[in-house]
Amino acid sequence: MALIEARALTKVYRLGRVDVAALRGVDIDVARGEYVAIMGPSGSGKSTLMHILGCLDTPSGGAYRLDGEEIGGLRGRALARVRNRKVGFVFQTFNLMPRMTVEENVALPLQYRGGLRRRARLKRARALLERFGLGERIGHRPDELSGGERQRVAVARALIGEPAILLVDEPTGNLDSEAGAQVLRAFREVHAAGNTIVLVTHDPDVGAEAARTIRLADGRVAA
Amino acid sequence: MSFLEALLVGLAEARRHFAQTLLSLLGLILGTGSIVAVLALFGGQSKITQDYVAEVGGFGTVIARDRELSQRPTATELASDRLTYGDARYLKQRATTLGAVAPGFFEEMDYRVGGVSFQGPVIGTTPDYAVINDIRPLVGRYLSDLDVERQARVMVLGWKYADSLFGAAETALGGLVTLAGRNFTVVGVLEREEFYFAPWSGNELEYRNRRAYIPITTAFSQYTGDDEHLSFLTLKAAHPTGARAAQQQVTAMLLLRHGVQDFDITPSGAGANDDAQFFKLFDFIFLVVGVVSLIAGGVVIANILLASVVERVREFGTRMALGATGFQIFAQVIAQVVVIAVIGGLLGLALGWGLTGTVAYFMKMPAAVTPTIALVAIGTSLSVGFAAGIYPAFRAARLSPVEALRYA
Ligand SMILES: Nc1ncnc2c1ncn2[C@@H]1O[C@H](COP(=O)(O)OP(=O)(O)OP(=O)(O)O)[C@@H](O)[C@H]1O
Ligand SMILES: [Mg+2]
């Protein structure tokens, strides 16, 4: 059974009186342990698709199963639970909490999950940060870090809850080539450890990292 | 996440957004502080007003006076003796609604002791006058029933006149004063009377220190040739709330005696209230200032909270993407508000308390922060905080993560 099974996904944005179809029927399957890159021109619907796959947004039509769970009917609290347990989302702009330390940022998903005390949460965050070579940075604030370090903190935060899938929007878009290469190495390790990764990119070199590439054009999967 | 944990997050958030927190706190502190001070001072001011009314005869006092003769007086009107000492004695004996009856003769006369002399008011009356007007002798005694019965040539001096004529209250006692050519023995000197609405206004009761009291019977026999017409007739109801009943009974009884309505019966509190009315204006201004400052405080808080939420909507979007539920976002904002409102309310209470003490000290006003006022203040602070916090919290909680993340 595939980890991700999306059938005929559509998304229509209503802009005043005009309907903008961002997705026009997308079918996607991603198996457990895959490393998939989604590519396509600007405006083709990549971010929209990622938001739906990450349960940050709901599709206008179609069916979506994630890790065996039907997502279509879920709303509010249930959807928040899925986001918290099954999805690790890495934003293009990292979206770290500026007033929290690195370890507090990474521990945040565990706080929303509940069950662990603060001390235990921070301990797990520190252990993960060590693995990403950020052991020295745990007490810093995000604005004291380089772009590459911030990206890795964001990845650590996405992985802390041991999600079923890691979703990444434009991982290298905001990084120079050196930092970009470092981040890609991190993804390779994460993938090697058994995680499933779906990322969006414009960069052919990044696309080449993935085992499989899906091309989007005008809201559809291009052959 | 429990509510306690949400509260801790709220506290941490309040600390992280220090500048915003400080501004909201300031608004709350000033708002609550002024409410506390205003309520406390308002309470003090109303007490002053009540005290004054009580001091000058108070509630339940009724005044009878002659009515102006009509343009073309009837024969009955002309035949009437008007209000007389006889009326007063009749009311004293028969009027069941009355507790005290003080008839009065009033005239300006020459006072003389040795080389000192001046003109001043003299009041001829009965012992009941002291009951109605709450006056107490400093030395000696007030007029007695025996004085009235015997038409004694005795007098009780106001504090100021005792001072002017004899240099001191003690030396006045037993002294002789010539009133319009007749000698009187001083049997008492009254306590100095004073009352201030505010420290900058004068002694409202100074006129009472500048007069002398003699038995009303002596006044008539010595100065009017036994014409017993009264200058005033002050009545006190048997019960503080019985003024209206007394007014009705006295009107009926006097109408029967005179055969014509040549008198008016009015409650005396009215005049005192007029004086006090001016100072009620202060009460009102105080209250308006307090309400306005609280509203201003509330608007400031609402604004700051709203701004802080708008600024952080993207942050809420991220939190939701990481698994925060709408309720957790709501709880976070509310917890932050509760923390700020409680701290602001307490500090505001302290400020108001200090303010009240200072103002009360310098303006010599009775004012106190009662537990009720403290409760009202904290309650107001909390409700303003909630009112200002709930809307932004509700708005933030309703967004989808993507909407929140795209929020400009
Ligand atoms: N909130 C929105 N409201 C209206 N239209 C939107 C909204 N979000 C996206 N769109 C439209 O949907 C289409 C797909 O947008 P999307 O952001 O998914 O593209 P993308 O492939 O991620 O592009 P890019 O490579 O520039 O990030 C575009 O035409 C875009 O204008
Ligand atoms: Mg995009």
Side-chain angles (χ1 to χ4, degrees):
Chain A
M1 184 185 62
L3 183 61
I4 285 180
E5 284 178 53
R7 293 288 171 272
L9 286 183
T10 60
K11 181 70 184 178
V12 179
Y13 292 110
R14 174 148 290 179
L15 278 179
R17 297 184 154 195
V18 191
D19 284 347
V20 180
L23 297 179
R24 302 159 184 267
V26 172
D27 296 336
I28 281 185
D29 289 271
V30 177
R32 212 171 289 273
E34 263 200 292
Y35 189 168
V36 178
I38 297 176
M39 300 188 70
S42 188
S44 57
K46 304 184 296 292
S47 293
T48 305
L49 178 60
M50 286 295 263
H51 290 149
I52 291 172
L53 295 183
C55 303
L56 307 185
D57 209 352
T58 46
S60 309
Y64 176 32
R65 266 173 105 76
L66 172 62
D67 199 14
E69 191 166 359
E70 195 62 53
I71 303 300
L74 302 184
R75 292 285 181 277
R77 212 180 162 76
L79 215 50
R81 211 193 96 256
V82 173
R83 286 196 292 268
N84 185 250
R85 292 177 178 264
K86 304 217 163 155
V87 178
F89 205 99
V90 181
F91 296 95
Q92 185 172 353
T93 47
F94 318 143
N95 294 18
L96 300 175
M97 303 289 146
R99 292 180 178 87
M100 291 185 176
T101 63
V102 163
E103 59 174 347
E104 285 171 339
N105 261 285
V106 172
L108 203 50
L110 296 180
Q111 183 184 336
Y112 290 123
R113 181 172 301 186
L116 277 181
R117 292 184 165 278
R118 180 181 157 84
R119 189 185 293 269
R121 297 195 302 253
L122 290 179
K123 196 171 157 211
R124 261 175 76 172
R126 280 196 292 273
L128 190 57
L129 284 163
E130 298 281 355
R131 261 183 56 197
F132 280 96
L134 292 162
E136 310 283 288
R137 297 303 203 179
I138 52 170
H140 286 76
R141 310 233 173 239
D143 60 4
E144 296 162 347
L145 305 182
S146 73
E149 285 171 327
R150 279 183 225 180
Q151 177 69 294
R152 279 179 288 152
V153 171
V155 173
R157 185 177 65 183
L159 289 174
I160 187 96
E162 297 175 339
I165 188 161
L166 185 64
L167 297 172
V168 192
D169 200 356
E170 298 279 4
T172 56
N174 282 329
L175 301 179
D176 60 35
S177 56
E178 171 67 24
Q182 213 174 3
V183 167
L184 288 181
R185 258 200 310 283
F187 282 145
R188 221 173 292 148
E189 281 166 32
V190 168
H191 180 234
N195 290 289
T196 313
I197 304 178
V198 176
L199 58 75
V200 162
T201 186
H202 276 113
D203 185 344
D205 291 345
V206 177
E209 283 280 320
R212 179 157 71 102
T213 304
I214 297 171
R215 297 202 168 271
L216 279 193
D218 201 16
R220 280 185 238 270
V221 178
Chain B
M1 193 164 66
S2 67
F3 187 75
L4 184 69
E5 211 170 342
L7 209 68
L8 287 176
V9 171
L11 187 61
E13 282 301 300
R15 214 186 50 226
R16 289 198 185 99
H17 300 85
F18 188 70
Q20 283 170 8
T21 304
L22 205 68
L23 276 176
S24 333
L25 266 182
L26 215 62
L28 268 174
I29 292 172
L30 292 181
T32 325
S34 58
I35 277 286
V36 168
V38 162
L39 284 179
L41 293 173
F42 178 73
Q45 193 65 48
S46 335
K47 188 174 171 337
I48 288 187
T49 309
Q50 268 176 20
D51 285 352
Y52 180 70
V53 173
E55 191 79 25
V56 296
F59 303 101
T61 304
V62 171
I63 292 177
R65 41 172 95 68
D66 293 325
R67 180 179 283 187
E68 298 272 327
L69 284 179
S70 35
Q71 288 288 319
R72 282 196 222 124
T74 61
T76 358
E77 265 187 89
L78 287 171
S80 167
D81 288 336
R82 326 280 285 160
L83 288 171
T84 63
Y85 183 43
D87 289 332
R89 276 180 306 195
Y90 179 76
L91 289 176
K92 174 85 177 159
Q93 274 173 16
R94 304 280 182 83
T96 50
T97 54
L98 294 179
V101 175
F105 157 95
F106 183 97
E107 209 160 287
E108 294 270 326
M109 293 189 191
D110 282 321
Y111 286 73
R112 182 184 306 277
V113 173
V116 189
S117 79
F118 51 77
Q119 267 226 329
V122 173
I123 290 176
T125 187
T126 63
D128 272 5
Y129 187 93
V131 176
I132 292 179
N133 291 283
D134 187 31
I135 56 184
R136 285 170 299 271
L138 178 64
V139 292
R141 58 172 180 84
Y142 194 67
L143 302 172
S144 70
D145 287 325
L146 209 61
D147 293 333
V148 175
E149 201 179 301
R150 294 186 178 164
Q151 303 180 11
R153 303 250 292 246
V154 295
M155 76 178 346
V156 176
L157 275 173
W159 184 87
K160 178 65 188 165
Y161 276 8
D163 190 62
S164 309
L165 294 168
F166 295 98
E170 287 75 9
T171 32
L173 207 57
L176 277 186
V177 179
T178 313
L179 267 188
R182 269 86 162 178
N183 285 339
F184 284 78
T185 308
V186 178
V187 294
V189 176
L190 299 180
E191 277 180 358
R192 176 150 194 258
E193 293 205 55
E194 49 187 343
F195 189 92
Y196 304 90
F197 276 112
W200 62 82
S201 64
N203 181 358
E204 298 291 330
L205 299 180
E206 177 57 19
Y207 67 96
R208 290 193 178 185
N209 298 320
R210 300 165 182 268
R211 54 165 66 157
Y213 301 89
I214 59 175
I216 190 165
T217 46
T218 318
F220 290 139
S221 61
Q222 297 295 324
Y223 300 110
T224 68
D226 289 328
D227 169 7
E228 300 199 332
H229 176 246
L230 295 176
S231 313
F232 63 83
L233 176 57
T234 310
L235 312 165
K236 180 111 178 165
H239 301 289
T241 52
R244 184 169 294 275
Q247 193 177 346
Q248 280 165 4
Q249 190 188 30
V250 169
T251 305
M253 289 174 80
L254 289 182
L255 202 53
L256 217 63
R257 272 173 71 86
H258 292 204
V260 60
Q261 175 102 41
D262 56 352
F263 55 86
D264 287 305
I265 315 286
T266 51
S268 102
N273 273 326
D274 283 348
D275 292 351
Q277 210 58 46
F278 172 68
F279 290 90
K280 283 231 177 80
L281 189 65
F282 280 118
D283 299 0
F284 182 69
I285 291 171
F286 268 128
L287 207 64
V288 167
V289 167
V291 169
V292 165
S293 56
L294 195 79
I295 290 175
V299 169
V300 168
I301 298 160
N303 240 318
I304 289 169
L305 276 172
L306 207 59
S308 83
V309 168
V310 167
E311 181 189 278
R312 279 156 51 210
V313 169
R314 287 174 57 90
E315 179 193 313
F316 291 145
T318 306
R319 285 174 183 270
M320 286 191 268
L322 298 178
T325 61
F327 175 76
Q328 283 170 331
I329 298 293
F330 186 80
Q332 182 189 329
V333 177
I334 285 294
Q336 204 175 336
V337 169
V338 169
V339 169
I340 292 177
V342 168
I343 296 177
L346 288 175
L347 289 180
L349 186 59
L351 175 76
W353 185 74
L355 219 61
T356 304
T358 312
V359 173
Y361 177 77
F362 283 110
M363 311 237 306
K364 297 190 178 61
M365 287 172 61
V369 179
T370 62
T372 319
I373 294 179
L375 272 179
V376 167
I378 298 285
T380 315
S381 170
L382 268 176
S383 14
V384 166
F386 266 103
I390 278 187
Y391 174 66
F394 180 73
R395 238 177 55 165
R398 255 189 7 175
L399 294 171
S400 87
V402 174
E403 282 168 338
L405 283 165
R406 226 182 249 119
Y407 207 86

